[in-house]
Amino acid sequence: MQENLSEGEFIDEHFHSNTEYSANEYISSNEESQSNDENYSQLNNISKEENNQKSQRSKIVKILRSLEDLEMRDLHDVVREKMKERRMKLLRLLEEYDGSLSHLLRAEFGDVIRSTQRKIEDNVQKRRGAFRKKITGVENKRVRDMIKEKKQEAPIIRLLDSITFTCGVLNVGVCEFFVLQFPQWFWLWYMLITPLLIAIKIDFYKGLKWLYFTYDFCYFANLCCMAAIMLFPPQSIIHPVSFFFANGPLAMAIPVWRNSLVFHDIDRLSSTYIHIFPALITFCLRWHSNDTLPSLFKNFYEPVEPNTFSNGNYSELSTFFIIYPLILYIIWQLLYLLITEVFDKLYFDADPELQSSLIYLSTHSRSNALAKFVLILMRKVGIFQPKEEYNPTSLKTKLVFVGSQFFYTLACFFIAWIVYQDYWYHVIYLVYLF
């Protein structure tokens, strides 16, 4: 039958069969592609879901971590508060313990602790004051304040300081020259310099209302020495009296009052010379020739051999060498009290800035060794209360000062009695003072 088909029929049949076959293939391939697309879409969906789950998981992790951080912070705050409460409790317990311990220590060792603290403070204050005094000349004056004052001083004041320094140094050299080479003529230099020093002190004290310091015993002793040189011959009693004044309380005032040769300070320099000059002049008159003295009243005395004061009737001391200086000292003390406590008392009451030795020492007792020692002694014996201080207006303080100065003067007279008898004792004594 096929052999009987025509060529056209055969081609059509063959085409239709091929066409059916390719259509089937196309349909199957489309079905496969559709299934692949579905698979891809499913995979994409799965990956998206996984990504969403990961993002959700990370968000959850962040949330959990933030919660953990909050919990830790809360825990830290709680712990911190607990620690703070515990620390405060421990501090309160420690304060209570310290309070009870300090109370116990005060009760048992309070006096010892206070006295030790007082001694430490006094020692520190003393050392600080000594250092300041060496630099500034005043215990209560700071070094920085002195530097500021020096910078603010006028040029004329600086010039005066330079002149004072130069004159002070030159005076030491001149005194050394006279004492070692021409001791018999040292009285000339003494009579030239001492009135000048007293005039400087009067002018200096007048501006500070300290003029009553010129009524002190040191100026009285200098006047006695000048009177002995100019008016009385060596055999008069005023010469040994001046020796006791000069080498007794006047010379010992140098360490007691802490005098020193501060050449740029006119006040301290003049004070030192006023205290040491009488000891030097009496040294020259005692151990060297004194026949050069003017002695205006020598015609009223019987003639004696030269150098009587050195080797004459007064070489052997007896009790009247203590009695006469004491009598003259008592006369000075009575005159001093009459002036300051009777005649000029109204001036002191009206002007509290006026100063005398008694007022100054009673208000600055720590700066003077003798006043400090007397205060401690008066507290020990019960005349002063344990914490009582000097009161310049009270009668008790005045009597204490008068009595202590009397016994100080008497003790210094015995020192003068010792050095009066031997040349080398006197030399060692003067070296100690310098």
Side-chain angles (χ1 to χ4, degrees), residues 189-308:
W189 185 249
Y190 173 77
M191 293 300 300
L192 177 65
I193 294 297
T194 302
L196 180 61
L197 292 174
I198 294 175
I200 291 173
K201 297 294 284 187
I202 290 174
D203 181 70
F204 180 78
Y205 287 154
K206 188 176 181 180
L208 297 174
K209 296 184 179 182
W210 291 0
L211 196 59
Y212 286 92
F213 280 130
T214 58
Y215 296 162
D216 288 349
F217 184 72
C218 56
Y219 298 94
F220 178 76
N222 274 278
L223 291 176
C224 289
C225 289
M226 287 189 286
I229 292 170
M230 297 300 299
L231 302 177
F232 300 98
Q235 66 267 30
S236 65
I237 192 64
I238 191 66
H239 280 276
V241 168
S242 299
F243 183 94
F244 274 71
F245 284 169
N247 295 274
L250 202 60
M252 286 304 298
I254 295 174
V256 171
W257 285 88
R258 297 180 181 179
N259 292 151
S260 57
L261 290 172
V262 183
F263 292 109
H264 62 273
D265 190 336
I266 186 64
D267 179 38
R268 300 181 69 187
L269 186 66
S270 56
S271 296
T272 304
Y273 281 140
I274 285 173
H275 285 104
I276 195 62
F277 264 13
L280 291 175
I281 187 62
T282 53
F283 172 82
C284 295
L285 296 177
R286 174 71 180 95
W287 305 110
H288 300 281
S289 175
N290 52 37
D291 54 0
T292 60
L293 297 179
S295 302
L296 299 180
F297 294 161
K298 62 183 176 182
N299 294 329
F300 294 92
Y301 290 83
E302 296 181 1
V304 294
E305 297 180 359
N307 204 23
T308 302

Side-chain angles (χ1 to χ4, degrees), residues 107-122:
E108 294 293 332
F109 307 102
D111 296 336
V112 177
I113 293 173
R114 282 189 293 271
S115 63
T116 304
Q117 289 176 346
R118 209 162 31 242
K119 287 179 181 178
I120 293 173
E121 291 174 358
D122 293 342

Side-chain angles (χ1 to χ4, degrees), residues 328-391:
L328 201 57
Y329 169 80
I330 291 172
I331 292 173
W332 165 82
Q333 184 69 83
L334 292 175
L335 290 174
Y336 182 86
L337 292 175
L338 283 174
I339 293 172
T340 58
E341 301 298 328
V342 179
F343 298 146
D344 294 345
K345 188 176 187 303
L346 294 177
Y347 293 108
F348 284 99
D349 294 339
D351 190 355
E353 294 183 358
L354 285 177
Q355 290 284 331
S356 65
S357 294
L358 189 148
I359 296 174
Y360 181 83
L361 288 175
S362 60
T363 54
H364 299 78
S365 59
R366 293 187 177 184
S367 62
N368 185 271
L370 180 61
K372 188 176 180 179
F373 170 76
V374 171
L375 180 61
I376 295 173
L377 182 62
M378 293 299 103
R379 289 173 177 174
K380 292 287 185 181
V381 299
I383 296 178
F384 279 17
Q385 297 298 322
K387 296 183 179 180
E388 186 177 359
E389 299 288 342
Y390 290 126
N391 183 4

Side-chain angles (χ1 to χ4, degrees), residues 82-133:
K82 291 291 184 180
M83 292 296 293
K84 187 175 180 181
E85 291 178 1
R86 186 168 297 178
R87 185 167 60 251
M88 295 299 295
K89 185 176 180 180
L90 290 174
L91 288 175
R92 285 194 296 270
L93 291 174
L94 185 60
E95 288 177 357
E96 292 176 358
Y97 176 76
D98 289 342
S100 61
L101 182 61
S102 61
H103 179 73
L104 179 63
L105 289 174
R106 290 192 189 97
E108 294 293 332
F109 307 102
D111 296 336
V112 177
I113 293 173
R114 282 189 293 271
S115 63
T116 304
Q117 289 176 346
R118 209 162 31 242
K119 287 179 181 178
I120 293 173
E121 291 174 358
D122 293 342
N123 192 19
V124 171
Q125 189 68 24
K126 181 179 178 181
R127 292 181 180 276
R128 184 185 294 117
F131 174 76
R132 287 177 175 175
K133 192 172 183 180

Side-chain angles (χ1 to χ4, degrees), residues 33-52:
S33 62
Q34 287 178 359
S35 64
N36 289 331
D37 291 337
E38 289 178 358
N39 292 330
Y40 286 142
S41 63
Q42 288 179 356
L43 289 174
N44 289 331
N45 292 331
I46 292 170
S47 62
K48 287 181 181 180
E49 288 180 0
E50 288 180 353
N51 291 332
N52 291 331

Side-chain angles (χ1 to χ4, degrees), residues 65 69 78 85 96-97 131 145 160 166 169 228 240 266 306 316-317 328 344 358 384 412 423 431:
R65 286 180 179 176
D69 292 338
V78 172
E85 291 178 1
E96 292 176 358
Y97 176 76
F131 174 76
D145 294 337
L160 290 175
T166 304
V169 175
I266 186 64
E316 295 182 0
L317 295 180
L328 201 57
D344 294 345
L358 189 148
F384 279 17
C412 292
Y423 172 81
V431 171

